[in-house]
């Protein structure tokens, strides 16, 4: 038995290394960046990240090829689905106001390697997204000048015919990214004001489209004569919803900017709600105007709005639409270039990525090296890759990030409280002087601290701000009373009292949060299985109808049962920051939707994703795991403090307690001559 333990211990230590959580400092507002962004600044950043070229291109494409005028309904459903993911980001951004977005949220609740992989994929998403928008920006501007820029480049610079590459180097797209990178490196205020300018112009153009478009609207274009409101039926509406969902990708820039927000606890949730509401309103109304101006089946997918005004006899309006489109794409470019270096900065600051990218300019208070290096890499992608090849790889990393953030919300909400202090919302591991011992359960499912030494000393240290040696007996009596009062309330992660008679015998002996963690894993597996049957069951797997029905029933029951068992446990009580309502149901259905959309992506996208993931694992195991600041913190020395302990018999004994990371045992020494009880 001893040989088994000694043989398994390296494996256990390696497992704990991969899954260690990030320790936050007690003052989560402390940062080397500049906190200066208001709610309006963050909301406009979110609008800029969502309302881009999709408003001018995606609406026409989905209306003509997928949903018809019912694209309005598709955008409504997609907006509601995006809201579920956005609420999860808003709660995390308020509770953990640190840059890094999904990477940071996964690190503080799930584990290190998962956080690294999320951050690694988000980096690629931002790089490809920015390059794709730059190519679209270049192509749109080139079309205004009758493709003279492309013709000049092919004639006087170079042209090549290589698979997966563009036919010519897009110098204009690369140039705009280089210029934007330099502008963003001047500081967050410069980036914010540039975004304000372009967003204001874009919103004015959208208002013009709506007002003038509704004046030209003809309700007959939604009539049965033109095919009706939903010519493709319910399936067309849902297919359009899957495409329209990607139009709302970009709100995570708000959470990525939380470390530069003046008041993140209030600004992050408010800005998320405002930006998502404005973006959804714009998409819904513009798609309604577009399909009312001209029949949906006559739309030009490449320039639907400009073409619609041209066909109604107002060709001059196409110029205004072009200006709005370019400004909207500028805001998306700024959003990508603003978020990407901050993800890299957060990973470098934690030691998981090369430390050179964590350097912050003392004047501009932004990671200039990260901005310029990754801005240049983004420009290189835009220079040589075709737009179609770039777009094919989009979305999988974003959907994976959404999935992990939703799962992290459930885990964090139901896990035992690990904070040393009462501030900040609870549930997040912080860098405390003396962490409490793991709690256990009594027969009624209530939390009981197995070590009165750790809990009592920890509570008193929390009140005083420091560890005290030789605490008085009266202090100990007060702490014993506090412990008794605390036992009356059930701890987070334990079974609710109302379900104790039904589930107590089955689940009552589990540690707090243990059942929830298992149910989250079952939730993820059932979501993948259910989505796989829906996507592949009929066409690729050719399963009979009875088999598909049986599998759908089984996996649906597992999914619903997992949600119910999670809901049957106590949540953390936090009234200081925004919280997602209806947990675990909203995050659970967000996980199901994200997994379903990921499985709808092409096999080539998954192959590229696996290759990029393998490259990320090489970086992590070659650099990140060895330089992780959490790993270095675990290797630091231990502090020692002497204190009194109240034993169950009522006697007072002096102890010397080693203050160690969680999971380590505490050595207790009893002196020969205990002091007088006074």
């Amino acid at each position: 038995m001893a040989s088994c333990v000694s043989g398994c211990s390296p494996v256990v230590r390696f497992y704990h290394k991969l899954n260690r959580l990030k320790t936050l400092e007690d003052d989560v507002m402390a940062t080397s960046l500049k906190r200066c962004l208001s709610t309006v600044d963050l909301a406009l950043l979110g609008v800029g990240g969502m309302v881009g070229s999709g408003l001018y291109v995606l609406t026409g494409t989905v209306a003509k090829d997928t949903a018809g005028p019912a694209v309005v309904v598709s955008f409504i459903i997609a907006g509601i689905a995006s809201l579920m993911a956005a609420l999860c980001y808003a709660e995390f951004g308020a509770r953990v106001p640190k840059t890094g977005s999904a990477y940071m949220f996964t690190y503080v609740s799930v584990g290190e390697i998962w956080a690294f992989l999320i951050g690694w994929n988000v980096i690629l998403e931002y790089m490809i997204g920015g390059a794709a928008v730059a190519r679209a920006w270049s192509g749109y501007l080139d079309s205004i000048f009758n493709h003279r820029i492309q013709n000049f480049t092919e004639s006087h610079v170079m042209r090549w015919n290589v698979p997966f590459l563009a036919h010519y180097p897009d110098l204009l797209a690369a140039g705009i990214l280089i210029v934007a990178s330099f502008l963003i490196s001047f500081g967050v205020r410069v980036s914010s004001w540039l975004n304000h300018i372009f967003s204001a112009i874009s919103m004015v153009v959208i208002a013009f489209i709506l007002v003038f478009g509704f004046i030209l609207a003809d309700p007959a274009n939604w009539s049965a004569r033109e095919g009706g409101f939903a010519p493709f039926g319910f399936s067309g509406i849902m297919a359009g919803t899957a495409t329209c969902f990607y139009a709302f990708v970009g709100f995570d820039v708000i959470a990525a900017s939380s470390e530069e927000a003046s008041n993140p606890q209030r600004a992050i949730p408010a800005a998320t709600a405002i930006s998502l509401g404005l973006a959804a309103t714009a998409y819904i109304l513009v798609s309604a105007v577009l399909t009312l101006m001209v029949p949906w089946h006559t739309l030009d997918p490449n320039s639907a709005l400009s073409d619609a005004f041209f066909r109604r006899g107002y060709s001059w309006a196409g110029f205004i639409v072009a200006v709005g489109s370019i400004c909207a794409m500028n805001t998306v470019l700024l959003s990508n270039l603003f978020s990407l270096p901050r993800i890299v900065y957060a990973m470098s600051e934690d030691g998981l990525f090369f430390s050179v990218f964590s350097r912050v300019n003392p004047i501009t208070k932004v990671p200039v090296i990260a901005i310029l290096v990754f801005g240049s890499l983004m420009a290189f992608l835009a220079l040589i890759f075709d737009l179609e090849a770039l777009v094919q790889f989009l979305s999988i990393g974003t959907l994976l990030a959404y999935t992990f953030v939703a799962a992290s919300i459930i885990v964090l909400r139901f896990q035992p409280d690990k904070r040393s202090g009462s501030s900040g919302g609870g549930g997040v591991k912080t860098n405390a002087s003396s962490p409490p011992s793991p709690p256990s359960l009594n027969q009624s499912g209530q939390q009981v601290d197995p070590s009165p030494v750790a809990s009592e000393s920890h509570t008193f240290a929390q009140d005083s701000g420091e560890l005290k040696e030789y605490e008085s007996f009266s202090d100990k009596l007060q702490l014993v009373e506090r412990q008794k009062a605390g036992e009356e309330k059930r701890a987070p992660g334990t079974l609710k009292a109302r379900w104790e008679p039904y589930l107590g015998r089955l689940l009552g002996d589990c540690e707090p949060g243990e059942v929830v963690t298992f149910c989250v894993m079952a939730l993820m597996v059932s979501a993948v299985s259910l989505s796989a049957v829906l996507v592949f069951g009929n066409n690729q797997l050719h399963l009979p109808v009875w088999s598909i029905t049986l599998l759908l029933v089984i996996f649906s029951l597992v999914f619903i049962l997992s949600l119910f068992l999670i809901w049957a446990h106590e949540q953390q009580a936090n009234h200081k920051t925004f919280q997602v309502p209806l947990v675990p149901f909203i995050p659970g259905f967000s996980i199901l939707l994200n997994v379903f959309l990921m499985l709808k992506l092409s096999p080539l996208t998954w192959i590229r994703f696996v290759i990029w993931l393998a490259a990320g694992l090489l970086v992590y195991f070659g650099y990140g795991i060895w330089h992780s600041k959490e790993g270095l913190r675990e290797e630091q020395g231990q502090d020692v403090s002497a204190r009194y302990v109240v034993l169950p018999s009522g006697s007072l004994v002096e102890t010397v307690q080693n203050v160690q990371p969680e999971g380590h045992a505490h050595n207790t020494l009893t002196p020969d001559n205990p002091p007088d009880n006074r």
Side-chain angles (χ1 to χ4, degrees):
M1 183 69 180
S3 61
C4 176
V5 172
S6 61
C8 295
S9 59
V11 178
V12 174
R13 285 197 299 269
F14 182 69
Y15 171 81
H16 284 297
K17 272 188 176 183
L18 298 182
N19 291 278
R20 54 196 171 200
L21 303 180
K22 178 176 174 60
T23 303
L24 297 176
E25 300 298 329
D26 288 333
D27 184 9
V28 293
M29 294 292 288
T31 178
S32 58
L33 303 178
K34 185 178 181 180
R35 290 194 178 274
C36 59
L37 296 178
S38 65
T39 303
V40 175
D41 297 329
L42 293 169
L44 289 178
L45 275 174
V47 171
M50 287 182 279
V51 181
S53 57
L55 186 72
Y56 300 89
V57 178
L58 189 64
T59 49
T61 302
V62 176
K64 181 174 182 179
D65 300 331
T66 311
V71 64
V72 175
V73 181
S74 296
F75 273 116
I76 293 174
I77 300 174
I80 295 172
S82 300
L83 180 63
M84 294 191 294
L87 289 174
C88 298
Y89 273 80
E91 175 172 337
F92 260 122
R95 295 180 70 174
V96 188
K98 294 291 184 180
T99 191
S101 189
Y103 156 77
M104 180 63 65
F105 306 155
T106 307
Y107 203 173
V108 300
S109 56
V110 179
E112 183 173 284
I113 188 171
W114 309 107
F116 177 86
L117 294 178
I118 291 296
W120 182 253
N121 283 289
V122 170
I123 287 174
L124 182 65
E125 291 294 311
Y126 278 127
M127 288 178 61
I128 292 180
V133 172
R135 294 283 307 201
W137 183 93
S138 171
Y140 203 95
L141 188 65
D142 193 25
S143 65
I144 296 176
F145 296 101
N146 200 22
H147 300 287
R148 293 178 182 174
I149 300 174
Q150 176 182 347
N151 295 333
F152 178 83
T153 305
E154 291 180 347
S155 303
H156 297 83
V157 181
M158 68 172 59
R159 174 184 171 86
W160 55 62
N161 291 306
V162 181
F164 301 109
L165 297 183
H167 297 303
Y168 67 98
D170 197 334
L171 300 175
L172 186 60
I176 188 62
L177 284 170
I178 295 294
V179 172
S181 299
F182 274 105
L183 291 175
I184 287 178
S185 66
F186 285 115
V188 64
R189 294 307 307 173
V190 175
S191 307
S192 179
W193 278 110
L194 282 173
N195 184 72
H196 284 189
I197 294 171
F198 291 126
S199 295
I201 297 173
S202 179
M203 286 189 286
V204 168
V205 172
I206 292 172
F208 165 79
I209 292 171
L210 295 178
V211 173
F212 198 34
F214 274 118
I215 293 174
L216 300 175
D218 183 4
N221 290 323
W222 283 8
S223 65
R225 184 187 64 188
E226 300 293 346
F229 179 74
F232 297 94
F234 180 75
S235 61
I237 293 175
M238 296 311 297
T241 299
T243 304
C244 294
F245 179 81
Y246 300 119
F248 297 99
V249 171
F251 60 79
D252 54 337
V253 66
I254 299 174
S257 311
S258 58
E259 194 165 338
E260 292 160 289
S262 301
N263 185 8
Q265 283 75 20
R266 296 185 60 183
I268 298 298
T272 301
I274 292 171
S275 61
L276 195 62
L278 289 175
T281 302
Y283 277 111
I284 292 167
L285 293 180
V286 168
S287 59
V289 163
L290 181 62
T291 52
L292 283 170
M293 285 176 61
V294 295
W296 61 270
H297 52 81
T298 64
L299 291 171
D300 180 4
N302 297 320
S303 56
L305 283 169
S306 300
D307 183 67
F309 281 111
F310 176 79
R311 290 169 54 196
R312 293 301 299 269
Y314 298 93
S315 56
W316 54 269
F319 175 76
I320 298 177
V321 172
V323 171
S325 177
I326 291 175
C327 289
M329 284 187 274
N330 283 339
T331 61
V332 178
L333 273 181
L334 290 173
S335 174
N336 279 274
L337 284 169
F338 186 87
S339 302
L340 173 59
R342 283 152 179 81
I343 304 289
V344 175
Y345 162 79
M347 296 175 67
S348 303
E349 184 72 10
D350 292 333
L352 301 185
F353 205 50
F354 305 112
S355 60
V356 66
F357 298 123
S358 64
R359 298 177 186 174
V360 175
N361 187 280
I363 299 175
T364 61
K365 299 292 183 181
V366 293
V368 174
I369 296 177
I371 292 173
L372 296 180
V373 169
F374 282 88
S376 300
L377 290 175
M378 197 182 293
F380 177 75
L381 290 178
L383 181 70
I384 64 172
F385 283 101
D386 190 13
L387 178 61
E388 184 178 353
L390 291 171
V391 171
Q392 284 180 357
F393 198 77
L394 278 175
S395 302
I396 189 169
T398 302
L399 291 171
L400 186 66
Y402 288 179
T403 302
F404 268 84
V405 170
S408 299
I409 284 290
I410 301 175
V411 172
L412 185 64
R413 187 73 70 84
F414 290 90
Q415 74 178 8
D417 192 354
K418 296 181 181 179
R419 286 188 66 91
S420 64
S422 59
S423 62
V428 180
K429 181 181 174 186
T430 57
N431 187 15
S433 301
S434 178
S437 300
S440 61
L441 294 176
N442 59 16
Q443 293 180 354
S444 63
Q446 295 175 341
Q447 179 177 349
V448 178
D449 197 320
S451 172
V453 181
S455 67
E456 293 168 2
S457 302
H458 170 67
T459 305
F460 195 78
Q462 170 183 319
D463 293 341
S464 63
E466 59 181 2
L467 292 175
K468 289 187 176 181
E469 296 186 5
Y470 301 101
E471 296 160 350
S472 67
F473 182 62
S474 61
D475 290 335
K476 284 297 171 185
L477 292 179
Q478 294 177 14
L479 294 173
V480 170
E481 293 299 323
R482 291 185 191 181
Q483 181 185 358
K484 291 180 179 178
E487 290 177 0
E488 298 175 359
K489 185 178 180 181
R490 291 177 179 256
T494 59
L495 199 61
K496 291 180 179 177
R498 74 180 75 169
W499 300 109
E500 180 67 30
Y502 311 102
L503 301 173
R505 182 173 298 179
L506 179 64
L507 306 176
D509 294 332
C510 297
E511 293 290 328
E514 186 177 356
V515 175
V516 173
T517 302
F518 176 80
C519 288
V520 169
M521 295 173 61
L523 192 75
M524 301 279 280
V525 172
S526 60
V528 172
S529 304
L530 184 60
S531 301
V533 173
L534 290 172
V535 175
F536 306 118
N538 190 24
N539 296 327
Q540 283 80 4
L541 300 178
H542 303 291
L543 297 176
V545 176
W546 68 267
S547 177
I548 294 177
T549 305
L550 179 62
L551 291 175
L552 289 178
V553 170
I554 293 174
F555 294 135
S556 298
L557 288 176
V558 174
F559 184 84
I560 295 172
L561 181 62
S562 300
L563 287 177
F564 168 75
L565 289 177
I566 295 171
W567 174 76
H569 287 74
E570 293 286 351
Q571 300 185 31
Q572 290 181 2
N574 171 34
H575 304 290
K576 297 181 180 181
T577 59
F578 171 79
Q579 284 192 307
V580 180
L582 299 177
V583 172
F585 301 104
I586 287 180
F589 285 108
S590 178
I591 290 172
L592 181 61
L593 174 66
N594 296 329
V595 170
F596 176 79
L597 292 177
M598 283 186 358
L599 294 182
K600 294 280 286 184
L601 297 173
S602 66
L604 184 60
T605 300
W606 278 96
I607 293 173
R608 293 171 179 171
F609 171 73
V610 170
I611 294 173
W612 179 253
L613 213 61
L617 290 173
L618 288 176
V619 174
Y620 176 73
F621 288 110
Y623 181 89
I625 195 172
W626 308 107
H627 296 81
S628 169
K629 289 188 177 179
E630 289 304 315
L632 298 177
R633 183 178 283 113
E634 291 176 356
E635 296 172 1
Q636 289 176 352
Q638 303 168 351
D639 297 327
V640 178
S641 61
R643 60 189 69 246
Y644 290 118
V645 180
V646 180
L647 297 180
S649 62
S651 60
L652 191 64
V653 181
E654 182 186 2
T655 66
V656 178
Q657 177 181 341
N658 288 327
V659 181
Q660 303 180 7
E662 292 181 29
H664 292 262
H666 296 282
N667 298 323
T668 304
L669 302 176
T670 305
D672 296 329
N673 300 316
D676 257 342
N677 294 346
R678 287 189 264 186

